[in-house]
């Protein structure tokens, strides 16, 4: 009963197998391995973007920070949600890499086009004194488990384009969103107006690989230099390539994401039936729900692992509603979920 | 016949096995995995440093840059060899992370205590105008395949201590040096005066793991924040831990390094017998040697892979001596070496 | 009728005289001039802080950025008002110098202790993932012309001290606030809990000098290195010293600030009589007021110079109320004010 | 007898007069003052560069650092002399502003085209691993008081252009060099191949103003943002403008530089007659000479102020030759020089 995060489960067996297969003989280092050519081709194909620049790094924070640094200048500000990972969970890495600051677009889990437009307009009148407008960064799946519809994505990108600003998509849970929307990678990115995407794999069964994809190839060399300067270029790069290759083979990325979402739906259904309150409507593989402290205590005692959300287990009042975050990856079994639900 | 680099060979099978074993069930992310506790204990034990701060990152450039940033201030200069990896091969990453600049201590593959003292003294008289003296960074094995004796290490550290400067050891090939010297990890580090070490694993059979060890624990929290801010904290950290754990189990680190050095010795012996000229005396697992262009051509034609050094294969004069770099890791077979030598 | 800013008026004649007096013979450069000794002594005396570290720079942005960089670490966040100069008007300079980010404490022109405490507490639970808590920066006079009472200052500093955070005071209009409060420099700074202050002179009659004062001398050398590394150490430093010396001689700083505040009060009184609406209660030398477009048009036609505030003169509706900012320095004459008021 | 530096003498009276004249009424802040328009026009005219971008800052380190940052990228290296001010005397400011590192072109006071070409070529073969080639920075007058001929300048720029690299001229003593060469500003800059120049005023009679001139206007807006972000944009900018305007009026810049050079020549002639040894041939306003310790002692006792160069006055051997640096600005009188010489 481990719902703490989608980075605490095991790596998918097909990925381990791919690592073993990759472990044969000699390969050029630093991204010149032959598997990387396949990966590049596959990603370009899946995104219907034959000219895209495709790179691999090992952490989501690296993907986001390097992508944003490449899209921005150090005298700019990046527009994002106050709930975004780049603001709350990356210990100033985006600022370190880009030199830019972040402007928090008011709102909760999602940015609205109205709020975005108002934030961008608000940076308008100060000439050289204020920071200049920089990229817009959108998180899909949001950090609260909700999903922007394609219409919502397009509307946000339209606002950015009205001000001639590039758009970055933090897709740490890209595939979870995509299969939920039933759309193509292209529809969720460049067709909507996205310029660069952090295409996550780690939270969906890989050991530690994220792709960064630029639909405009002109930033490619700058990205390569930024990656090396950030110490994120792997010498034994073939083992990043092999993971991503396995991910995109036999629909592993899709089946894993579908399984994670299905696991989450099963859990959510049970919670709903048990009377839990949902802080946000779960649309991908994360649930933010509240139920009585007494139930939390019973779950913890039974060995369930997950994070309370702005609350602590300690307390007298067993009726008090406490919020928590529950995350499912592909590896959670129906049994685990059902045991958990039985304890509610 | 692949002598291009010790980062182009396969991962040791015991490491892959360890990854498979680690791939069981759930683990806390971001370094809170249980295997990391073992790794920390093992490294503290091997280094006879019970209070050492121990961290894992995935690239050697990250290890060096984060260690140096933690030991320095942005208005300082770091003393190193003009041949050091931090100067020549990290695309400004040490400067990016630390803000400091590098002072190149004149000399070739090794720093001498005299040259180091003169360089440090040379930064003396400019008060606030010049950069302030910062850490000394020593590369062991050097980038030219030679090894500092313990006396030489101690002498360099003594110079640093005379000026109250911390010492960093870039140990990308730490174990190759250690087994060649027949000394303990402690002797090659804190007993000699080293304050922090990049303890490499990637070039010696791991997939991508380097430990950073601080013998003074007081810098531990700063390092953790710098690692996260640099996007080098892995969520699925257990797979870094598992690699390092396998490395330190059943003497894998030692046997791999001994094998790499022995492979190199066999190759060097054959080269010497064939009349090759050595630019540096090979003491670990790297050879810098020159022999006629015609021989290089024959080797390339036969499929040998290695880097020419400041030279190009193209040219009329088949008698001209061309330098090359030949690197052996643990995986090179005697057969490969002997076929190579037979072509000389 | 020039109310655009307190940086658009002339330098006080006594300051020009002091520059002429300083222009005699030779002086050591880079802050080793003899006048700087007097300045340091005077500031230490006025602030009742015999051990204070005192430095001069030429711009307010340099004073703020260098002070904050010295008080913070690059993995921290600085707490400030969304209206603060460091956030809105310094083009990422504080971030550039410190590496830290800014956390905007919700509220309008002033921070409240409650909002500050909530913001600080909000950065609590993310360990290494979120930025760490850094300095609190308070602007006195605020960017909206209001003044923190000593009680308010103490309450904010108490919150900071509860979390062991240093406090910076952006005192670009320090003296305007001080004479309005009728307090001493010490009361408005270290006695209230302030650790470092940007003690402004430029907006109060100097050509371009701000002092940075640290009440804890231990940061002195770091500041000196940061100042030089930021290119803010003047070679002909005596001309900064001479300005600050004149400022603190014969109460020039006090009389100039009193005159500016009095000019502002006269203007505010007239505006109030004419029915203007005040966005903020003017307490120092700045007014944020609104009155009909038609009046603005008449004033502009008559040559009055000032900034409309989130509004444009163009428009049909002459009855529409438009906001503006009116700033008085010491040099504004009663005649200018009265001509302006007559046009209302 | 003050020969310590050309930043320790007084400001030229015409500059003080200009400040007094500028101190009249109100002016837009931040470079929008009317005098700046005149300055821009004058500099464009003098440099025969009608499209040049012209900016003022207050320190030479700011001029150099901001110019180099605008010409480079943070993954590049800047080629310069090991004697250059940007390397030895700016406490990492160029690295702080640009993110780039410095490559020291071997040689003494001047760079030779051969050494420059070799240094640039040496950064060739490392792809993404080493820093990329960035700007060449030339110091004219050199830090050793010598001057590049126009042929030498052109040859250096030709090397840079062969590699498509921009050229920066650190002209802290620009006019001293120009009047010595008897050339025009254009000949010493863009006609030779220079892309941006730090056009110094402070060492030649101003209080603290340097112009930065880009001959390609396309970098203008980036420079403005970098200047503000570096906290080097002055609010009361008119007082920078007024200094530079006075400098360029009635040939003040030329007459001051000629006087400084003539003072230096008179001093050098006397030293030569007295048997002093010259470390470098004095060609502008600086002398590096050695003479016996006993003479230094006598001079110091008589109140002469100057810096010994790599030597200390203390010592028994009064016959020992000690080097020193002697700098003349426009303000040094013949009497001072002759009294000094009489003591030799």
């Amino acid at each position: 009963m481990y719902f703490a995060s989608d980075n605490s489960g095991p790596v998918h067996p097909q990925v381990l197998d791919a690592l073993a297969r990759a472990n044969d003989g000699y390969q050029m280092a630093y991204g010149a391995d032959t598997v990387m050519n396949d990966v590049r081709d596959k990603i370009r194909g899946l995104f219907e973007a034959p000219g895209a620049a495709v790179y691999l790094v090992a952490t989501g924070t690296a993907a986001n920070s390097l992508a944003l640094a490449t899209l921005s200048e150090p005298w700019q500000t990046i527009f994002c949600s106050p709930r975004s990972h780049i603001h709350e969970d990356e210990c100033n890495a985006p600022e370190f890499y880009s030199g830019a600051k972040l402007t928090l677009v008011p709102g909760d889990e999602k940015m609205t086009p109205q709020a975005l437009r108002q934030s961008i307009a608000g940076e308008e009148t100060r000439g050289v004194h204020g920071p200049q407008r920089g990229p817009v960064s959108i998180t899909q799946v949001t950090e609260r488990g909700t999903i922007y519809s394609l219409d919502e994505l397009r509307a946000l990108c339209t606002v950015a384009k009205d001000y001639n600003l590039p758009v970055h998509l933090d897709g740490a849970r890209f595939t979870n969103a995509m299969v939920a929307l039933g759309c193509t990678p292209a529809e969720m990115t460049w067709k909507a107006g996205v310029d660069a995407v952090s295409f996550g794999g780690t939270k969906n069964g890989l050991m530690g690989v994220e792709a960064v994809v630029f639909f405009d190839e002109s930033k490619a060399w700058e990205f390569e230099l930024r990656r090396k300067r950030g110490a994120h270029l792997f010498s034994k790069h073939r083992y990043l390539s092999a993971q991503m290759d396995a991910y995109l083979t036999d629909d592993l990325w899709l089946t894993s994401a579908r399984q994670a979402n299905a696991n989450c739906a099963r859990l959510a259904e049970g919670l709903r039936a048990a009377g839990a309150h949902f802080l946000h409507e779960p649309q991908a593989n994360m649930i933010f729900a509240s139920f009585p402290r007494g139930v939390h205590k019973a779950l913890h005692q039974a060995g369930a692992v997950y994070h309370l959300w702005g609350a602590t287990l300690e307390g007298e009042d067993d009726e008090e509603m406490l919020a928590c975050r529950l995350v499912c990856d592909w590896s959670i079994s129906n049994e685990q979920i059902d045991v958990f639900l039985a304890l509610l």
Side-chain angles (χ1 to χ4, degrees), chain A:
Chain A
M1 292 188 297
Y2 210 101
F3 302 99
S5 176
D6 38 11
N7 56 36
S8 50
V11 166
H12 198 283
Q14 292 173 226
V15 175
L16 273 191
D17 290 349
L19 287 175
R21 275 198 310 278
N23 200 39
D24 182 40
Y26 299 85
Q27 280 282 353
M28 292 303 286
Y30 299 116
D33 53 287
T34 52
V35 188
M36 185 58 204
N37 293 333
D38 296 343
V39 166
R40 195 180 296 108
D41 286 347
K42 282 181 179 164
I43 288 183
R44 286 172 170 174
L46 289 166
F47 279 84
E48 304 166 49
V54 178
Y55 298 104
L56 303 182
V57 293
T59 73
T61 298
N64 288 337
S65 298
L66 287 166
L68 285 167
T70 305
L71 294 177
S72 67
E73 299 284 353
W75 43 83
Q76 294 181 342
T77 189
I78 296 163
F79 297 91
C80 64
S81 158
R83 298 283 84 82
S84 62
H85 201 268
I86 60 170
H87 172 59
E88 292 205 312
D89 284 303
E90 302 190 351
C91 194
N92 297 6
E95 292 91 340
F96 174 46
Y97 278 91
S98 70
K101 68 191 292 179
L102 305 187
T103 294
L104 305 180
V105 178
D108 193 11
E109 100 280 22
K110 279 189 197 172
M111 285 196 289
T112 66
Q114 295 73 21
L116 177 60
R117 188 177 294 278
Q118 202 169 348
S119 283
I120 296 176
E123 300 287 337
E124 192 163 23
T125 56
R126 292 176 174 276
V128 80
H129 299 284
Q132 306 300 300
R133 295 156 174 160
V136 174
S137 181
I138 305 170
T139 315
Q140 173 83 316
V141 178
T142 75
E143 292 292 319
R144 293 300 178 267
T146 58
I147 295 179
Y148 290 98
S149 71
L150 291 184
D151 277 350
E152 288 173 325
L153 280 181
R154 283 184 215 113
L156 290 170
C157 293
T158 298
V159 174
K161 298 308 168 200
D162 284 352
Y163 289 93
N164 227 347
L165 305 179
V167 177
H168 165 252
L169 190 79
D170 175 359
R173 296 182 181 90
F174 185 94
T175 316
N176 301 81
M178 205 188 81
V179 298
L181 291 175
C183 68
T184 67
E187 284 169 345
M188 209 167 83
T189 55
W190 65 268
K191 287 186 176 173
V194 170
D195 297 282
V197 60
S198 302
F199 174 64
T202 311
K203 290 179 187 297
N204 195 25
L206 300 190
M207 194 176 277
V209 180
E210 319 278 304
V212 180
V213 183
F214 291 89
F215 299 109
D216 170 4
E217 221 176 355
S218 71
K219 290 285 196 175
W221 181 233
E222 175 176 336
F223 184 88
E224 289 200 48
L225 291 161
R226 287 191 179 276
R227 179 176 57 169
K228 174 65 191 174
R229 177 173 170 258
H232 286 289
L233 176 59
F234 271 52
S235 58
K236 297 190 176 173
H237 186 281
R238 62 166 127 172
Y239 302 100
L240 298 189
S241 306
Q243 291 182 59
M244 184 53 76
D245 193 56
Y247 192 57
L248 302 175
T249 298
D250 294 339
D251 288 347
L252 178 60
W253 61 311
L254 302 174
T255 53
S256 290
R258 283 188 193 116
Q259 187 61 52
N261 289 4
N263 292 342
C264 178
R266 183 185 190 97
L267 182 59
E269 196 179 348
L271 284 162
R272 205 181 304 270
H277 169 72
F278 290 85
L279 285 70
H280 307 281
E281 185 58 29
Q283 298 179 305
N285 67 326
M286 286 193 288
I287 294 167
F288 292 80
S290 59
F291 41 83
R293 174 178 279 115
V295 179
H296 286 292
K297 283 183 177 168
L299 284 164
H300 274 72
Q301 212 157 10
V305 182
Y306 59 90
H307 293 294
L308 289 178
W309 203 251
T312 58
L313 204 60
E314 288 75 40
E316 295 292 294
D317 182 1
D318 274 4
E319 300 305 308
E320 192 185 357
M321 298 290 275
L322 303 184
C324 67
R325 189 185 78 160
L326 301 164
V327 191
C328 296
D329 74 354
W330 63 277
S331 73
I332 307 284
S333 67
N334 284 351
E335 289 67 34
Q336 285 179 287
I337 296 168
D338 294 345
V339 172
F340 185 97
L341 290 173
L343 286 158
L344 285 178

